[in-house]
Amino acid sequence: DLRQGRVYVVDTHNHRGQVFDAQGGLLRQWGSEGSAPGQFREPWAIAVDEGGYIYVADTWNHRIQKFDSDGRFLAQWGTFGDTAGGLGVGDLLYGPRVIVIDQESNLWVCDTGNKRLLKFTSDGEFLQQVGGAGSLPGEFLEPVGLALDSDGNLYVADTWNQRVQKLDKNGSFVAEWPVLGWEAEGVTNKPYLALDSRGNVYATVPEEHRVVQFDGSGQVKAVWGQYGTDGNSFNLPSDIAVDAQDNVYVEDSGNHRVVKFSAIK
């Protein structure tokens, strides 16, 4: 996540959150392995709202945690529950993988293992659920990445259906397009999405070690990356973000780094 020139990262296998300045200098970090408040078990996503509050998808504790801007614990919600691919109780989570914050400061969460999206207030009050297991429009198989545009439309990395789905702000289906390279169903194939100021959609393709830029209708505009360790290569790129200047930040997980790219013209 990006906020006011700072880069917020969850360091998944070190079970902590980190904040860097725009030049990559470490500003602070917090967290350790465990299930107590403020601890994590392989967190996969972080989001920051307009007030500076930090939200972490504490994936294998099956919960969302809320912190102040200094990383002090404030609240948590969610307990483990398997809905068997259906829509069910809103506070049950099964490996949540991403959080995005809409213009009303509500949180949309990919409840990945339960094949659905959940919507909460910033204090954790359940508001809505969308999806359920399946391949029809509006259904999901392993939703992971999630992004919002300026109109509140949701873009979902519907991984095992090998497609991006676009939903309106109410969660109703609008459109879809295929993504090559999302075929595998292993733990390393967890792609993420981001949008730039022009409405382009960026998707990581982890096991193909590349990033794809689509326009808003799903047409491919750019592709970059290959397996490797140099500045233009990746090893299992996962999360992705775009800043206010349309610079692109890729979490290059297998190389244990974040790589920043200038805006694509």
Side-chain angles (χ1 to χ4, degrees):
D1 196 284
L2 303 168
R3 183 69 56 178
Q4 296 178 341
R6 295 181 177 181
V7 181
Y8 293 76
V9 177
V10 278
D11 185 7
T12 302
H13 292 292
N14 283 321
H15 316 282
R16 64 186 178 186
Q18 294 182 298
V19 185
F20 299 87
D21 63 25
Q23 289 73 44
L26 179 65
L27 298 175
R28 62 182 177 276
Q29 61 186 32
W30 75 99
S32 60
E33 184 175 8
S35 57
Q39 293 185 312
F40 306 111
R41 291 196 188 280
E42 294 192 15
W44 275 66
I46 191 168
V48 184
D49 69 14
E50 293 292 340
Y53 294 105
I54 301 167
Y55 304 84
V56 176
D58 186 8
T59 302
W60 295 120
N61 279 321
H62 311 285
R63 66 185 178 185
I64 307 301
Q65 293 198 65
K66 180 178 181 178
F67 302 88
D68 69 14
S69 59
D70 293 318
R72 289 186 289 260
F73 173 82
L74 296 175
Q76 65 181 35
W77 61 91
T79 57
F80 174 72
D82 185 348
T83 67
L87 297 179
V89 178
D91 66 351
L92 298 180
L93 294 170
Y94 186 179
R97 300 280 183 167
V98 76
I99 302 167
V100 296
I101 301 171
D102 67 17
Q103 293 177 340
E104 287 75 45
S105 297
N106 296 314
L107 279 61
W108 284 94
V109 176
C110 268
D111 184 15
T112 302
N114 286 324
K115 320 299 189 229
R116 63 181 180 171
L117 308 183
L118 298 174
K119 184 179 182 180
F120 300 96
T121 69
S122 60
D123 294 319
E125 177 187 353
F126 170 70
L127 296 175
Q128 185 182 353
Q129 57 185 315
V130 175
S135 300
L136 296 174
E139 296 178 334
F140 308 113
L141 292 177
E142 202 72 2
V144 179
L146 188 61
L148 278 166
D149 68 18
S150 58
D151 295 321
N153 296 305
L154 291 153
Y155 298 77
V156 186
D158 186 12
T159 310
W160 294 351
N161 282 321
Q162 301 167 42
R163 64 185 177 183
V164 171
Q165 290 199 66
K166 180 180 179 179
L167 311 178
D168 68 19
K169 63 181 180 181
N170 299 312
S172 297
F173 175 82
V174 175
E176 66 177 62
W177 63 81
V179 180
L180 299 177
W182 286 359
E183 291 85 358
E185 296 188 3
V187 70
T188 57
N189 186 34
K190 295 292 180 280
Y192 283 75
L193 302 177
L195 269 75
D196 66 18
S197 65
R198 297 164 291 170
N200 296 310
V201 180
Y202 298 77
T204 57
V205 187
E207 294 183 344
E208 298 291 336
H209 316 290
R210 65 176 182 249
V211 173
V212 182
Q213 182 200 50
F214 300 93
D215 67 17
S217 62
Q219 298 299 307
V220 175
K221 296 184 67 177
V223 180
W224 76 94
Q226 59 185 355
Y227 179 74
T229 59
D230 63 54
N232 292 307
S233 300
F234 303 114
N235 181 4
L236 297 173
S238 53
D239 208 350
I240 189 167
V242 180
D243 67 18
Q245 290 74 45
D246 288 339
N247 298 306
V248 181
Y249 299 73
V250 180
E251 192 174 72
D252 186 15
S253 63
N255 285 323
H256 311 287
R257 64 184 183 181
V258 175
V259 186
K260 180 181 178 180
F261 300 90
S262 59
I264 297 175
K265 303 300 183 182

